[in-house]
Amino acid sequence: MMIPLLILTLVSLLCSSLAFDLKGRVVWNEICPGIGDLGQAKVVLDNGNLYGSVTRNGQFVIPEVPSGTYILSVVAHDHAFERLRIDVLDTDTLPEVRPYVPGTPLSPPSPVTLPYPITLIPRARYDYYTPQESFNLVGMFQNPMMLLMLGTGVLMLAMPYIMKNMDPEVLQEFKERQAKITDIQSSIQNGDLKTGLSAMMGGEEKTSPAPAPKPQASAARNRGKNKRR
């Protein structure tokens, strides 16, 4: 029983010796003057597997980070920070800090290195407020539906003046067509399709011109009458 306990103790000591406490600080600037503006923020590795909180003086510590390659980011509600690539080595040397652009592959690493302890600078402040749009008369008339309604209203207002200047025969024909269309619509709305179809067919028969008599046939008839006389 003593041998397994000794092995577990040695393994835990070895792992703790290989782990590294990652340290850094947030530099206050005009975008984020202090911890009051930053609020509750965390510095995380690989989307939160390992993390450390930011203190009042801007410092943070991520404890017991095993050797490997990580992406460091800051989880803050109102501020944006750059992401960094952190390489924790197996040796006792300091970790390597490099800039990282989201979406780029981790291999090969960037030749640019940054100093350690890690320095994080707020780059931007999120703006969640969307101002309410004010009334815009020009923008309202740019809407196609509004233009269609406006054109229909102008046509309705101008219709009496147009009808006054129309030819009486054309006006009478226009009124007859309007009455016929109204009768067809009312019959269809009442469910009387037969009456509506008959009105449509009757209108077509009335509007179709009568065939003109052939001049040759009338001339032949007149010759026959003269011979009989």
Side-chain angles (χ1 to χ4, degrees):
M1 292 297 292
M2 294 296 296
I3 295 175
L5 291 175
L6 290 174
I7 294 173
L8 290 174
T9 304
L10 290 174
V11 170
S12 63
L13 289 174
L14 182 62
C15 293
S16 62
S17 63
L18 294 176
F20 186 84
D21 291 344
L22 200 64
K23 298 179 181 180
R25 67 188 182 93
V26 176
V27 178
W28 310 123
N29 56 9
E30 296 178 354
I31 299 174
C32 183
I35 191 65
D37 296 299
L38 181 63
Q40 293 183 355
K42 293 189 299 184
V43 181
V44 300
L45 296 178
D46 291 348
N47 297 323
N49 294 330
L50 299 169
Y51 64 90
S53 300
V54 180
T55 59
R56 285 187 170 274
N57 56 4
Q59 295 182 355
F60 64 89
V61 177
I62 303 177
E64 298 181 1
V65 179
S67 59
T69 301
Y70 304 93
I71 301 300
L72 183 143
S73 59
V74 180
V75 179
H77 185 267
D78 296 326
H79 296 83
F81 292 80
E82 292 181 351
R83 295 187 179 185
L84 302 176
R85 169 182 171 152
I86 310 297
D87 293 311
V88 179
L89 307 177
D90 295 333
T91 59
D92 294 335
T93 57
L94 296 176
E96 296 178 354
V97 183
R98 292 182 173 88
Y100 175 74
V101 178
T104 58
L106 293 176
S107 181
S110 174
V112 180
T113 58
L114 301 175
Y116 183 84
I118 302 167
T119 301
L120 298 173
I121 302 174
R123 298 298 181 182
R125 184 182 180 89
Y126 297 124
D127 188 7
Y128 298 101
Y129 174 73
T130 303
Q132 186 177 2
E133 296 183 359
S134 59
F135 179 74
N136 188 0
L137 185 61
V138 177
M140 183 178 67
F141 284 107
Q142 290 177 353
N143 190 348
M145 295 299 295
M146 195 66 187
L147 292 176
L148 182 61
M149 293 174 61
L150 182 62
T152 305
V154 171
L155 185 61
M156 292 178 63
L157 292 175
M159 185 60 69
Y161 302 98
I162 295 173
M163 294 182 69
K164 284 182 180 179
N165 298 325
M166 289 177 65
D167 187 68
E169 295 181 358
V170 178
L171 181 60
Q172 184 65 26
E173 185 180 355
F174 177 75
K175 289 182 178 180
E176 290 177 358
R177 289 183 180 179
Q178 287 293 110
K180 193 179 297 181
I181 292 172
T182 305
D183 294 338
I184 293 171
Q185 289 179 350
S186 62
S187 60
I188 292 174
Q189 289 178 357
N190 295 330
D192 192 0
L193 299 177
K194 185 177 180 180
T195 305
L197 292 174
S198 62
M200 293 174 64
M201 297 300 293
E204 292 178 357
E205 291 176 358
K206 289 180 181 178
T207 54
S208 60
K214 296 181 179 180
Q216 295 179 359
S218 60
R221 291 176 184 174
N222 293 330
R223 290 175 184 174
K225 291 180 180 179
N226 292 331
K227 287 181 180 180
R228 291 176 184 176
R229 290 177 182 175

